[in-house]
Amino acid sequence: IAGITQAPTSQILAAGRRMTLRCTQDMRHNAMYWYRQDLGLGLRLIHYSNTAGTTGKGEVPDGYSVSRANTDDFPLTLASAVPSQTSVYFCASSDSSRGEQFFGPGTRLTVL
Amino acid sequence: SQQGEEDPQALSIQEGENATMNCSYKTSINNLQWYRQNSGRGLVHLILIRSNEREKHSGRLRVTLDTSKKSSSLLITASRAADTASYFCATSSGAGSYQLTFGKGTKLSVIP
């Protein structure tokens, strides 16, 4: 089934631990994105990648890193998790010629 | 910082009524998009309107764009209980930029 998958669905993590959220798309979209969604704040862009091999910082990049080794995968890593990173994380992709973004189902992360 | 601001924050209507949501933004845009999010799910793209367009329709959805006022509206006609969701506007700015900046959303409740 075409679309975006994210893993895990949810995770409880101790502060200070390292965590990688996985995102895979099979639509051959060139651009991919990571957002976090917090109550009352809407979606905020963490990092993006316009094409494989390139990445860029969004609005709230601190504490997060990404890589884009190939077209399909765009993992998000929290090197040392802190409680303020408790959020729902969404991965998205787009074909730059069309504009609209397609979203994954989200990962609910709790950092204690 | 948020580019789009939706108004109202919450809206409750009876099934069959029309629902209107508004979005204001701050800087010039290439396009403006509306997304829908059911509780606990990822966002789903509804409609995209380009900066040189003034109105667009898709089924029961009608979107208008007034670039002089930096505002857009989303009208859902003949609402259904299944339309209950949060609705977000998102703007794309800058040539070659694929990034979107989202507003905080309008929570729509359609009462059967």
Side-chain angles (χ1 to χ4, degrees):
Chain A
I1 298 175
I4 299 181
T5 58
Q6 292 185 236
T9 302
S10 65
Q11 182 76 43
I12 299 174
L13 189 66
R17 298 295 296 267
R18 180 184 179 90
M19 176 74 191
T20 296
L21 308 185
R22 300 185 297 279
C23 174
T24 300
Q25 54 107 355
D26 62 1
M27 296 175 282
R28 307 304 293 172
H29 285 167
N30 56 316
M32 296 187 75
Y33 316 85
W34 274 105
Y35 296 91
R36 58 179 289 173
Q37 185 176 32
D38 302 290
L39 197 63
L41 293 177
L43 277 81
R44 293 180 293 168
L45 182 66
I46 304 171
H47 284 286
Y48 66 93
S49 169
N50 287 340
T51 189
T54 69
T55 62
K57 294 181 180 180
E59 181 184 352
V60 288
D62 294 344
Y64 306 95
S65 63
V66 292
S67 61
R68 187 89 183 278
N70 57 60
T71 298
D72 298 343
D73 301 300
F74 191 42
L76 176 74
T77 297
L78 290 67
S80 179
V82 295
S84 61
Q85 293 177 311
T86 294
S87 188
V88 181
Y89 290 86
F90 289 99
C91 179
S93 70
S94 69
D95 177 337
S96 56
S97 67
R98 293 181 59 83
E100 63 262 41
Q101 295 186 9
F102 294 80
F103 282 77
T107 293
R108 184 174 294 275
L109 181 67
T110 302
V111 183
L112 300 176
Chain B
S1 60
Q2 308 295 130
Q3 160 77 306
E5 289 286 340
E6 289 91 343
D7 170 55
Q9 290 186 335
L11 179 62
S12 184
I13 61 174
Q14 294 292 129
E15 200 166 31
E17 293 180 340
N18 295 343
T20 299
M21 288 159 270
N22 303 297
C23 170
S24 60
Y25 57 91
K26 298 173 186 172
T27 62
S28 61
I29 60 172
N30 289 333
N31 66 68
L32 185 144
Q33 304 178 32
W34 285 91
Y35 287 79
R36 165 196 169 123
Q37 183 180 35
N38 288 82
S39 181
R41 310 286 289 273
L43 279 72
V44 175
H45 180 263
L46 295 176
I47 198 164
L48 181 155
I49 186 165
R50 302 193 187 283
S51 59
N52 60 353
E53 298 175 311
R54 292 298 168 257
E55 188 171 311
K56 209 159 182 182
H57 298 255
S58 177
R60 293 184 296 112
L61 305 181
R62 172 177 169 251
V63 168
T64 60
L65 179 65
D66 187 334
T67 53
S68 67
K69 295 181 180 178
K70 292 186 170 59
S71 67
S72 173
S73 66
L74 171 67
L75 169 68
I76 303 174
T77 60
S79 63
R80 305 166 181 168
D83 294 329
T84 294
S86 291
Y87 293 82
F88 295 87
C89 69
T91 54
S92 174
S93 308
S97 169
Y98 312 141
Q99 300 168 48
L100 294 177
T101 304
F102 285 83
K104 298 178 184 179
T106 292
K107 190 167 187 177
L108 173 66
S109 299
V110 181
I111 303 166

